[in-house]
Amino acid sequence: MTIVKTIAITLLLTAVSSMPALAANVEHGKKLYTERCGGCHDTKVHTRPNRIVHTYEDLVNRVRFCDNAANAGLKDEEIYDVSDYLNNTFYKFMKIEG
């Protein structure tokens, strides 16, 4: 097996093995959203035509804003869990990894 094939297989296995962790974060985000965001609004705000969120970064910033306004006490990783849940469920924005 060539080195290129070995690297390609390793990268593929790494990506596949990390998928359950991503799903767990989205599920955690859904749980957090239900527990801490549902008191202020329902999910209709995410599908309205005049929404104020237009990018993944906007979404993270809005979740952070709402967390502060509601004094929900989300940790930084939980902000991203909720953002990923909302993005996967409603927005479908491309995430730019940096």
Side-chain angles (χ1 to χ4, degrees):
M1 189 179 306
T2 67
I3 189 74
V4 173
K5 285 182 183 178
T6 303
I7 291 171
I9 290 170
T10 302
L11 290 173
L12 179 62
L13 291 174
T14 301
V16 169
S17 68
S18 68
M19 290 174 102
L22 177 61
N25 289 340
V26 171
E27 285 303 311
H28 185 234
K30 180 179 182 178
K31 180 178 184 278
L32 290 168
Y33 182 85
T34 301
E35 292 173 353
R36 301 191 193 176
C37 304
C40 294
H41 58 78
D42 62 17
T43 58
K44 291 178 187 173
V45 299
H46 307 296
T47 59
R48 62 186 177 199
N50 62 338
R51 64 186 186 197
I52 60 174
V53 173
H54 301 286
T55 66
Y56 181 77
E57 292 76 21
D58 287 348
L59 180 57
V60 172
N61 289 332
R62 190 65 187 177
V63 171
R64 196 176 308 281
F65 171 84
C66 290
D67 173 55
N68 289 330
N71 200 22
L74 295 175
K75 299 175 189 164
D76 202 46
E77 67 187 40
E78 293 173 326
I79 296 284
Y80 285 99
D81 290 348
V82 171
S83 298
D84 283 354
Y85 159 68
L86 293 172
N87 193 47
N88 288 355
T89 305
F90 301 103
Y91 295 96
K92 314 292 187 207
F93 295 130
M94 183 183 307
K95 288 173 56 175
I96 300 171
E97 304 293 328

